[in-house]
Amino acid sequence: MVVRNELTDDETDRIFRALADATRRDIVTRVLRQEQSVSALAGHYAMSFAAVQKHVAVLERASLVTKQRRGREQVVHAEMSTLHRAARLLESYEELWHGRARRIDDLLAEEVPPGGRGAE
Amino acid sequence: MVVRNELTDDETDRIFRALADATRRDIVTRVLRQEQSVSALAGHYAMSFAAVQKHVAVLERASLVTKQRRGREQVVHAEMSTLHRAARLLESYEELWHGRARRIDDLLAEEVPPGGRGAE
DNA sequence: ATTTCGTACAACCATTTGGTTGTAGGTTAC
DNA sequence: GTAACCTACAACCAAATGGTTGTACGAAAT
């Protein structure tokens, strides 16, 4: 299987949206430590089983977790590669910022290249 | 000023939710490269000025950017520390995974002697 | 002074989200 | 077989999201 290292906008949307909820982040940390069935996960939260199931589904659509049947249980485990790629994306933002100092030198040297307004 | 290195659930919610939109991520990368006024930013997108203004407000509430008045413009610049802390959070998930075979309890028992790793 | 520019904000709308309950199907246990 | 358990999914609801237009106000340019 070919593993692209870059994320599409949609994939990134789903990943960050999935991580933008404390319950889902908690689910992620739990299954990072140890994979668990959906109902085992549900036992930890003060909400219905169906609600937890939905949260898992959101994480699954974001490829942050996968499910695997085992008997009558569905075992949830973390998908590290996705988490890693999200981390790399944020790190690339940091790199972008660190490269900003160089750009400022250029600006000072050149003082606003002509035609700066139009493009893109 | 004391800079907590950990994020509350609410802060983390806001950060990831803010990043879960392609337009807002693009705004972040633009102001990471170079700070820009809100209207300059708005010029880059096929949506109303008010919509862009709202996106900036979402990023601002997440502390991913700050605004600074300059003349009649409001200049948006990136808040690296927040981006960095989000990146660190994801990295801590990765560390969690790498250490998952070990007993976490031992780590917790030993960690953080009072005053140990406070300010940054 | 008047106009123009950049911003702020309210009101409105369609869609999505995060929760609920209820129903149904497949597995394991008795 | 029957009961109990785990999961799936639909229907429903309140609240949040992402967009719009319109109005208003301060700063700058004329």
Side-chain angles (χ1 to χ4, degrees), chain A residues 31-84:
Chain A
V31 301
L32 273 169
R33 292 173 190 274
Q34 182 176 354
E35 55 193 19
Q36 292 181 52
S37 71
V38 178
S39 61
L41 285 170
H44 294 115
Y45 308 104
M47 65 182 74
S48 70
F49 173 83
V52 174
Q53 202 178 344
K54 277 193 182 182
H55 281 307
V56 172
V58 170
L59 290 168
E60 205 180 1
R61 260 180 274 121
S63 302
L64 283 164
V65 306
T66 55
K67 287 186 296 186
Q68 186 183 357
R69 265 237 118 74
R70 199 158 65 194
R72 62 183 167 186
E73 294 181 341
Q74 198 86 264
V75 179
V76 181
H77 55 93
E79 193 64 51
M80 263 310 295
S81 62
T82 304
L83 218 31
H84 182 66

Side-chain angles (χ1 to χ4, degrees), chain B residues 17 21 24 47-48 50-51 54-55 71-72:
Chain B
R17 184 175 302 278
D21 181 281
R24 287 195 293 261
M47 65 183 73
S48 68
K54 278 193 181 181
H55 282 306
R72 61 184 168 187

Side-chain angles (χ1 to χ4, degrees), chain B residues 19-60:
Chain B
L19 291 173
D21 181 281
T23 301
R24 287 195 293 261
R25 285 194 301 276
D26 195 70
I27 291 175
V28 167
T29 62
R30 283 183 191 275
V31 300
L32 273 169
R33 292 175 189 275
Q34 181 176 354
E35 55 194 19
Q36 291 182 52
S37 71
V38 178
S39 61
L41 285 170
H44 295 301
Y45 307 104
M47 65 183 73
S48 68
F49 173 83
V52 175
Q53 201 180 345
K54 278 193 181 181
H55 282 306
V56 172
V58 170
L59 290 168
E60 204 179 4

Side-chain angles (χ1 to χ4, degrees), chain B residues 8-118:
Chain B
T8 67
D9 278 351
D10 278 355
E11 286 168 338
T12 315
D13 285 1
R14 283 193 291 267
I15 292 168
F16 284 132
R17 184 175 302 278
L19 291 173
D21 181 281
T23 301
R24 287 195 293 261
R25 285 194 301 276
D26 195 70
I27 291 175
V28 167
T29 62
R30 283 183 191 275
V31 300
L32 273 169
R33 292 175 189 275
Q34 181 176 354
E35 55 194 19
Q36 291 182 52
S37 71
V38 178
S39 61
L41 285 170
H44 295 301
Y45 307 104
M47 65 183 73
S48 68
F49 173 83
V52 175
Q53 201 180 345
K54 278 193 181 181
H55 282 306
V56 172
V58 170
L59 290 168
E60 204 179 4
R61 262 181 272 121
S63 301
L64 283 165
V65 307
T66 54
K67 287 186 297 187
Q68 187 183 356
R69 264 238 119 74
R70 198 158 64 197
R72 61 184 168 187
E73 294 181 342
Q74 197 84 267
V75 178
V76 181
H77 55 94
E79 193 64 51
M80 263 311 294
S81 61
T82 304
L83 218 32
H84 182 66
R85 295 201 288 169
R88 291 282 302 139
L89 179 61
L90 292 191
E91 286 158 17
S92 78
Y93 287 170
E94 298 191 75
E95 289 163 19
L96 205 81
W97 184 78
H98 286 117
R100 76 195 188 286
R102 270 183 233 122
R103 281 171 304 164
I104 308 296
D105 290 347
D106 289 359
L107 291 176
L108 291 179
E110 277 208 11
E111 209 178 24
V112 189
R117 69 112 192 276

